[in-house]
Amino acid sequence: GENVEQHPSTLSVQEGDSAVIKCTYSDSASNYFPWYKQELGKGPQLIIDIRSNVGEKKDQRIAVTLNKTAKHFSLHITETQPEDSAVYFCAASYPNSGYALNFGKGTSLLVTP
Amino acid sequence: ETGVTQTPRHLVMGMTNKKSLKCEQHLGHNAMYWYKQSAKKPLELMFVYSLEERVENNSVPSRFSPECPNSSHLFLHLHTLQPEDSALYLCASSQERTGYYEQYFGPGTRLTVT
């Protein structure tokens, strides 16, 4: 089945710096790659996603890049703020299972003032 | 609020109890999902329902029994659970069950099995 690896597991940055989280996937047929943010006591919330027909997508301070050849995708957060502190999950569609999502283990991001 | 609600938010049950988790989505979606979230592990897909028909069952033990009476409601019936079943159970919904469509998650039910 699909295997999604996510790194790093924890990341600490100073406010204003950039944060990068990377994921790799194993199934070359995967074609949808969302990123979720989970705050304490809440369910995961979709923050950005990318489909396999594009290489990059931006939404204000958040961007995602996709390299289909290398089978990896990354989340970039610029000008980080303390409210960006949360656990971030990447996911890849799982074609052999009706395109359900396979998730990475998560990255705990801490933005210090 | 994402439009997906779950009740109860917290549940403590003994191994011999029977309880049910409830999920309701107010988004007009036609696919619903149960996930299990344990510490230090990826979210694990348990069940998928599309148009009220179960289309996915990821080798989940029979002590977990899902029910989808209509496209807005999803239940997870629990009986004779084990301590290792303690986790956050998340419900999600999407317009279609393919990966092209965003999944919206509820806040989860924190389950503790004693």
Side-chain angles (χ1 to χ4, degrees):
Chain A
E2 175 70 280
N3 188 34
V4 179
E5 298 287 337
Q6 182 172 349
H7 298 280
S9 57
T10 60
L11 179 60
S12 182
V13 300
Q14 283 203 310
E15 183 177 1
D17 288 350
S18 295
V20 180
I21 303 171
K22 299 181 179 182
C23 288
T24 60
Y25 60 98
S26 58
D27 192 332
S28 57
S30 294
N31 53 12
Y32 175 65
F33 308 92
W35 286 89
Y36 286 84
K37 174 183 180 182
Q38 187 173 23
E39 297 175 273
L40 201 61
K42 296 184 178 181
Q45 285 195 294
L46 179 71
I47 55 172
I48 195 168
D49 58 13
I50 192 168
R51 289 168 171 75
S52 59
N53 56 345
V54 297
E56 183 175 1
K57 183 176 178 180
K58 290 185 74 172
D59 182 2
Q60 300 182 334
R61 297 187 295 108
I62 293 173
V64 57
T65 58
L66 171 64
N67 183 327
K68 286 214 72 179
T69 303
K71 291 189 281 189
H72 66 71
F73 56 112
S74 300
L75 178 71
H76 304 254
I77 306 174
T78 58
E79 301 171 30
T80 53
Q81 301 166 2
E83 50 266 40
D84 294 330
S85 298
V87 180
Y88 291 81
F89 294 93
C90 64
S93 59
Y94 183 14
N96 290 338
S97 187
Y99 290 89
L101 294 176
N102 263 30
F103 285 82
K105 289 186 178 181
T107 296
S108 180
L109 173 65
L110 178 64
V111 180
T112 54
Chain B
E1 293 296 328
T2 62
V4 181
T5 58
Q6 290 187 244
T7 54
R9 293 293 309 274
H10 300 271
L11 178 63
V12 179
M13 59 186 289
M15 289 191 283
T16 58
N17 292 159
K18 288 185 180 181
K19 296 286 184 182
S20 296
L21 310 184
K22 179 182 176 182
C23 175
E24 184 173 0
Q25 58 95 0
H26 310 273
L27 301 168
H29 291 164
N30 57 20
M32 298 187 77
Y33 311 75
W34 279 117
Y35 286 88
K36 176 184 179 183
Q37 186 176 33
S38 306
K40 308 296 183 184
K41 294 177 69 174
L43 274 74
E44 300 172 58
L45 180 65
M46 300 175 71
F47 302 103
V48 181
Y49 276 83
S50 178
L51 296 171
E52 302 149 41
E53 179 184 347
R54 189 192 308 180
V55 295
E56 185 79 21
N57 179 347
N58 274 1
S59 303
V60 179
S62 60
R63 56 185 183 268
F64 295 91
S65 175
E67 179 189 1
C68 187
N70 55 62
S71 59
S72 299
H73 294 86
L74 185 65
F75 294 89
L76 188 63
H77 304 299
L78 316 171
H79 65 96
T80 60
L81 294 192
Q82 304 298 311
E84 60 265 28
D85 297 323
S86 298
L88 182 69
Y89 288 85
L90 291 161
C91 173
S93 72
S94 67
Q95 183 54 38
E96 296 285 345
R97 69 180 181 93
T98 68
Y100 289 108
Y101 295 89
E102 298 89 345
Q103 291 186 24
Y104 293 86
F105 284 84
T109 295
R110 174 68 62 186
L111 173 67
T112 303
V113 181
T114 60

